Amino acid sequence: MAVKLNAINFQSPKCPSFALPAIASPRSPKFYMASTLHSGSKDVRTVKKPFSPPRKIHDQDFLPYPASEEFHDQVKELSERAKEIPDDFFVVLVGDMITEEALPTYQTLLNTFDGVRDETGASPTSWAIWTRAWTAEENRHGDLLNKYLYLSGRVNMKQLEKTIQYLIGSGMDPRIENNPYLGFIYTSFQERATFISHGNTARLAREHGDFKLAQICGTIAADEKRHETAYTKIVEKLFEIDPDGTMLAFADMMKKKISMPAHLVYDGRDDNLFDHFSAVAQRLDVYTAKDYADIIEHLVRRWKVEKLIGLSAEGQKAQDYVCGLPPKIRRLEERAQTQSKQAPRIPFSWIHDREVQL
């Protein structure tokens, strides 16, 4: 899920950029302390706990069972419920699904992080096991939403499949630069963003009377919350081992701004599909600029950033920058809202070219 924030300049004149220090280099002693924790250590066991045992989301627990005599009746009931849900909701739900279905890109991204990548594809290291377990859990989300949308009869499945293929082929570049400090800060942010997004689609589905869809979205949101907890624990450990380097990485990632996983989404027609999808998500309060600011504020509290002491001069500047960022984003967003004009209606190929207000 995404919201466009490119128009907001987060760069501080007092601290124009945050280059990572030598201590955050993949060759530094502290980096290896963070990246080579053995799977038997108490620290790694604690961090990996959200995956033990793995959570199993099976389509059959939420959708009509094809072998059942009631299958056709159940599908009809599902599609009848879906008729009561407005098109703009389906635009956002499709965007959620497509984002989840681009999972191969995200596993590829995790395996670019220096020191923690899966070197063989079946490596027994803690980090490799972590990545594969996370991927296996995330894989269920896209599968489940995809099947629901297929059965609903409300969307153009051919256009959805084309969009997924385009997105996986395009990849993504969140400007992590193979750096695990940046990478795990990014994933901490992103998992919370998806938790918020799926949680809000669950809320809307419930308001529209589809309690089964609300259960699907809520279950996925709970998974994302567990993943957020895991990634924030990793960064918490990085702050403990290397507070200065991690502080500079946090500021560097915020200065770059978090690019959302679907920022290169394309359906073969709309060159501005990401912006249009984001605008609908913003209008429905599924994922907004306010949420973006709230996530930064949450991570600042979670990692006790304001209480860090003993930082270098650059680290203190980075600390001030990050802590001051949420109110700045909120002020800019409030100003943008007061200046916004009536949004146009545009067709979305995902819903058979029906028009939706941005």
Side-chain angles (χ1 to χ4, degrees):
M1 183 51 61
V3 62
K4 187 178 181 184
L5 291 166
N6 294 342
I8 300 177
N9 179 14
F10 303 150
Q11 188 164 317
S12 166
K14 293 183 179 179
C15 196
S17 64
F18 299 98
L20 296 183
I23 201 65
S25 162
R27 295 182 176 85
S28 75
K30 288 187 178 180
F31 171 83
Y32 277 111
M33 286 175 66
S35 67
T36 60
L37 293 172
H38 295 296
S39 59
S41 75
K42 181 179 179 181
D43 293 319
V44 172
R45 284 200 305 271
T46 301
V47 167
K48 286 169 58 180
K49 194 169 289 185
F51 292 102
S52 303
R55 183 179 174 90
K56 298 179 178 65
I57 297 180
H58 297 301
D59 302 341
Q60 225 50 80
D61 296 333
F62 301 92
L63 299 174
Y65 181 43
S68 168
E69 293 182 358
E70 292 81 28
F71 174 69
H72 294 290
D73 291 336
Q74 292 172 354
V75 171
K76 184 178 179 180
E77 181 183 342
L78 185 154
S79 62
E80 288 296 323
R81 290 197 308 269
K83 287 180 181 178
E84 303 301 317
I85 301 176
D87 284 335
D88 51 8
F89 175 88
F90 273 98
V91 167
V92 174
L93 188 65
V94 168
D96 276 358
M97 182 276 289
I98 289 170
T99 301
E100 296 285 355
E101 289 280 53
L103 183 61
T105 298
Y106 316 143
Q107 185 177 28
T108 299
L109 178 68
L110 286 172
N111 280 326
T112 67
F113 298 175
D114 290 331
V116 300
R117 63 174 60 92
D118 186 344
E119 296 286 356
T120 68
S123 171
T125 66
S126 298
W127 296 110
I129 292 170
W130 164 275
T131 298
R132 295 195 300 271
W134 174 87
T135 303
E137 290 196 1
E138 289 284 346
N139 181 59
R140 307 308 314 130
H141 303 167
D143 281 357
L144 179 55
L145 290 173
N146 195 316
K147 289 185 176 70
Y148 168 84
L149 288 165
Y150 178 84
L151 294 173
S152 75
R154 290 291 304 276
V155 299
N156 184 334
M157 287 305 300
K158 184 175 182 179
Q159 282 301 117
L160 267 60
E161 297 299 338
K162 285 173 63 176
T163 307
I164 293 167
Q165 189 166 352
Y166 277 125
L167 183 56
I168 295 174
S170 297
M172 65 178 293
D173 180 15
R175 295 187 288 175
I176 289 170
E177 303 162 12
N178 302 349
N179 188 303
Y181 284 54
L182 297 176
F184 290 127
I185 289 166
Y186 177 87
T187 52
S188 296
F189 189 106
Q190 192 56 53
E191 292 287 3
R192 186 160 186 84
T194 52
F195 158 67
I196 291 169
S197 176
H198 287 297
N200 282 328
T201 54
R203 170 181 56 80
L204 289 173
R206 190 163 50 249
E207 290 175 4
H208 292 305
D210 194 331
F211 295 99
K212 180 59 69 173
L213 178 57
Q215 183 186 15
I216 289 171
C217 296
T219 301
I220 293 172
D223 251 14
E224 304 292 9
K225 179 62 178 175
R226 292 166 56 250
H227 297 167
E228 176 209 337
T229 298
Y231 283 119
T232 54
K233 283 184 177 181
I234 293 173
V235 178
E236 183 178 41
K237 190 65 181 178
L238 288 175
F239 268 112
E240 179 184 326
I241 293 171
D242 183 10
D244 209 61
T246 309
M247 186 66 252
L248 289 167
F250 192 8
D252 186 52
M253 200 69 248
M254 294 302 99
K255 182 180 74 70
K256 292 172 178 175
K257 297 184 287 291
I258 299 292
S259 60
M260 298 302 171
H263 69 276
L264 297 178
V265 69
Y266 179 59
D267 61 351
R269 301 182 189 178
D270 187 351
D271 291 330
N272 299 305
L273 183 55
F274 175 76
D275 294 344
H276 295 154
F277 156 59
S278 300
V280 178
Q282 170 92 15
R283 180 173 61 79
L284 295 184
D285 285 331
V286 169
Y287 184 73
T288 68
K290 179 182 179 298
D291 292 321
Y292 189 99
D294 289 347
I295 292 171
I296 298 173
E297 195 167 67
H298 169 79
L299 294 176
V300 166
R301 286 197 306 268
R302 176 68 178 79
W303 295 326
K304 300 181 175 61
V305 172
E306 290 180 325
K307 298 179 181 179
L308 291 175
I309 57 175
L311 299 174
S312 67
E314 282 296 302
Q316 290 175 23
K317 288 181 182 179
Q319 183 183 37
D320 292 341
Y321 170 77
V322 171
C323 293
L325 202 49
K328 180 178 180 180
I329 296 173
R330 293 191 184 103
R331 286 194 301 271
L332 291 170
E333 173 59 17
E334 289 169 4
R335 192 181 309 161
Q337 288 296 326
T338 59
Q339 297 172 354
S340 64
K341 301 177 181 178
Q342 179 68 27
R345 296 178 63 86
I346 70 161
F348 280 84
S349 70
W350 297 341
I351 52 172
H352 300 281
D353 294 311
R354 294 190 295 272
E355 291 188 350
V356 166
Q357 183 182 342
L358 299 183

